[in-house]
């Protein structure tokens, strides 16, 4: 098994990389297991990128991925965040996450809705707790009332290994 180098950002700051087309499938209920988050032997691998978002000037979309190399690139948390600088709450947000689990033959899409409101930032989290396919992308985008329910551009991070 090759050594892991962690995640490499594909989307550049304030620029997005479009994701490949995804098939909307439901993953099986079992996920691959990995070592506990507090295991001192496992080294973390994280990636984060931000870009301008639709709507008012100053709107920003960020996508962060947190993982550990445990029998493959293990992703334990994903955060999709929208920040708005203009007045008013951010409401009715939905994030979409595209990913390729190590056990799968194709790409999956996870939808994370939030009908509530937040002040100047809406952060939607997902905890996949599974290994991802080396060389695949994990991508996120968000829509909300500040974007007039139009999705932001995708931000992608490549799952890497040495």
């Amino acid at each position: 098994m090759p050594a892991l180098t962690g995640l490499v950002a594909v989307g550049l700051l304030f620029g997005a990389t479009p994701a490949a087309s995804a098939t909307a499938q439901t993953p099986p209920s079992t996920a691959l297991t990995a070592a506990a988050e507090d295991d001192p032997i496992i080294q973390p691998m994280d990636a984060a990128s931000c870009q301008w978002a639709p709507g008012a000037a100053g709107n920003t979309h960020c996508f962060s991925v947190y993982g550990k190399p445990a029998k493959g690139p293990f992703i334990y948390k994903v955060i999709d965040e929208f920040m708005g600088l203009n007045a008013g709450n951010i409401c009715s947000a939905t994030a979409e996450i595209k990913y390729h689990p190590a056990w799968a033959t194709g790409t999956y899409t996870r939808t994370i809705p939030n009908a509530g409101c937040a002040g100047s930032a809406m952060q939607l989290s997902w905890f996949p707790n599974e290994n991802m396919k080396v060389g695949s992308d994990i991508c996120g985008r968000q829509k909300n009332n500040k974007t007039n329910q139009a999705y932001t551009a995708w931000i992608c991070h490549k799952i890497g290994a040495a």
Side-chain angles (χ1 to χ4, degrees):
M1 173 112 181
L4 295 177
T5 59
L7 298 171
V8 177
V10 174
L12 299 176
L13 188 61
F14 304 115
T17 300
S21 176
T23 56
Q25 303 175 25
T26 303
S29 60
T30 58
L32 299 176
T33 58
E37 282 189 32
D38 59 353
D39 187 333
I41 297 172
I42 296 177
Q43 299 299 311
M45 54 182 197
D46 303 332
S49 294
C50 294
Q51 64 187 3
W52 295 116
N59 286 351
T60 306
H61 171 235
C62 297
F63 184 63
S64 304
V65 179
Y66 302 89
K68 297 179 181 203
K71 296 183 181 178
F74 181 77
I75 304 300
Y76 63 87
K77 182 166 76 173
V78 173
I79 297 174
D80 193 274
E81 184 173 24
F82 181 91
M83 293 163 282
L85 294 181
N86 59 341
N89 288 337
I90 300 168
C91 302
S92 303
T94 301
E96 279 189 345
I97 312 297
K98 289 184 185 181
Y99 63 103
H100 190 149
W103 51 263
T105 57
T107 302
Y108 285 70
T109 300
R110 170 74 61 169
T111 301
I112 306 165
N114 183 330
C117 295
S120 61
M122 176 64 75
Q123 191 177 80
L124 301 173
S125 299
W126 176 49
F127 301 89
N129 291 318
E130 64 182 296
N131 291 315
M132 299 296 166
K133 181 174 175 131
V134 172
S136 69
D137 289 334
I138 185 166
C139 305
R141 66 182 184 170
Q142 188 178 141
K143 67 179 180 178
N144 55 53
N145 66 314
K146 296 286 187 174
T147 68
N148 295 318
Q149 295 302 320
Y151 274 108
T152 63
W154 290 101
I155 295 177
C156 297
H157 299 292
K158 185 160 293 296
I159 305 296

